[in-house]
Amino acid sequence: MSAPLVEAAGGVIVRPGLGGGYEVALVHRPKREDWSFPKGHLEAGEAHLVAAVREVYEETGFRVMVGQSLGEVCYDDSKGRPKRVRYWAMSVVGGAFVPNDEVDLLVWCDQVTALGMLTYREDRRLLARLRHPSG
């Protein structure tokens, strides 16, 4: 018997960068010692998009506007269960980052720097799907 699918959602938060490019927000999770995008599990009966906005707020303190869907990534979680995470591009419309139990650091960086910092291959592939926020 296979383990049930773990459903999660999150966001790739973007802002204008220097020279017409853009920057993305990466979060550091001390419990996992990794760099990733904010994400988390769905609550009972919760829609993926609602969960994505909630998780981004809980982990970063940012209120966001949702942009393009970036699709989903699938992998086995740390307990060996199949996991699917659906992502959206997002931009900040309010709030401020305050370190918390889940996320102790947040950095803004360009795409090349982000590709070098991201811990997981799935996150690097996800970042490659992001079109310029204005396009």
Side-chain angles (χ1 to χ4, degrees):
M1 178 179 259
S2 62
L5 179 65
V6 176
E7 294 282 1
V12 178
I13 307 168
V14 298
R15 72 179 185 186
L18 300 174
Y22 62 91
E23 296 177 322
V24 296
L26 303 184
V27 296
H28 180 261
R29 302 181 303 173
K31 289 180 184 174
R32 299 212 191 295
E33 281 300 320
D34 64 4
W35 286 97
S36 188
F37 299 113
K39 62 181 171 292
H41 296 114
L42 274 63
E43 294 179 354
E46 189 174 37
H48 284 86
L49 182 54
V50 172
V53 171
R54 176 184 55 77
E55 284 290 341
V56 165
Y57 179 74
E58 288 176 3
E59 292 190 3
T60 69
F62 294 148
R63 291 185 308 281
V64 294
M65 180 173 57
V66 177
Q68 73 185 56
S69 169
L70 299 175
E72 61 187 42
V73 296
C74 298
Y75 55 92
D76 289 340
D77 71 9
S78 61
K79 297 178 182 176
R81 302 172 299 184
K83 184 172 184 176
R84 175 173 59 189
V85 187
R86 293 184 179 166
Y87 285 96
W88 285 264
M90 299 178 172
S91 57
V92 176
V93 295
F97 175 71
V98 176
N100 56 71
D101 289 342
E102 292 185 65
V103 174
D104 62 348
L105 297 168
L106 182 144
V107 297
W108 290 96
C109 51
D110 62 46
Q111 186 177 24
V112 172
T113 303
L115 288 170
M117 287 181 65
L118 287 164
T119 302
Y120 305 107
R121 179 180 61 218
E122 293 85 5
D123 288 344
R124 291 188 292 274
R125 289 179 179 165
L126 178 66
L127 183 55
R129 295 181 199 165
L130 183 65
R131 295 190 312 267
H132 189 280
S134 66

